[in-house]
Amino acid sequence: MLKKINFKFAAHAMIVTLSLVLVYHLTIITGLIPYEATWGGRLQNREQMLRFETVSIVVNLFILTVILIKGGYLKLKLPAIVLKVLLWAFAVLFALNTVGNLASTSVLELIIFTPLTAVSAVFCARLATEP
């Protein structure tokens, strides 16, 4: 089933998605999007938001780097098994994030990010299955 998804399409879609997510997190840090509308509506202050957003940006940059390597856009050498394990871990992370988004009190997270994380889980799984 996963092999029916074109590998390059999955890689490109994830690169675009992660790039947009990074922009989204930067808009939260800058205050263009109120932090109360993020993280399930559970953040209590700006300092807490900065910690969560910083971790999120670092994690998203790491995921993006792995996908750029797997897609052949970054010429860094990592063993294939390391890429496969990381991509499967990302698929699980996105699947769990989907469940978390379903429990969100933020309509934005529920409507936009629930399907986005679900599709990201599928695309990461597809990338993990490529030899």
Side-chain angles (χ1 to χ4, degrees):
M1 175 72 176
L2 288 173
K3 291 283 187 172
K4 290 184 178 183
I5 301 169
N6 180 280
F7 173 80
K8 283 294 185 187
F9 176 79
H12 288 141
M14 285 304 298
I15 291 166
V16 169
T17 299
L18 290 166
S19 298
L20 292 173
V21 166
L22 286 166
V23 169
Y24 173 75
H25 286 296
L26 291 173
T27 61
I28 295 167
I29 287 175
T30 61
L32 293 173
I33 294 176
Y35 68 82
E36 296 86 0
T38 63
W39 292 98
R42 293 174 181 87
L43 295 180
Q44 298 175 355
N45 56 51
R46 181 163 170 74
E47 292 76 28
Q48 190 179 37
M49 175 272 293
L50 287 172
R51 276 187 301 226
F52 277 69
E53 289 303 316
T54 300
V55 169
S56 186
I57 288 170
V58 169
V59 168
N60 278 286
L61 284 171
F62 179 68
I63 296 169
L64 179 60
T65 300
V66 170
I67 290 171
L68 288 169
I69 293 168
K70 180 68 176 186
Y73 300 102
L74 271 180
K75 301 299 180 196
L76 299 176
K77 295 288 183 188
L78 280 179
I81 189 67
V82 171
L83 290 172
K84 183 179 287 286
V85 167
L86 286 171
L87 287 162
W88 277 116
F90 299 156
V92 170
L93 175 72
F94 281 119
L96 292 173
N97 200 350
T98 301
V99 173
N101 286 337
L102 286 169
S104 175
T105 60
S106 167
V107 176
L108 179 70
E109 284 187 352
L110 189 61
I111 293 173
I112 295 174
F113 289 103
T114 300
L116 187 68
T117 55
V119 170
S120 294
V122 171
F123 286 161
C124 282
R126 170 59 184 103
L127 295 173
T129 63
E130 188 73 12

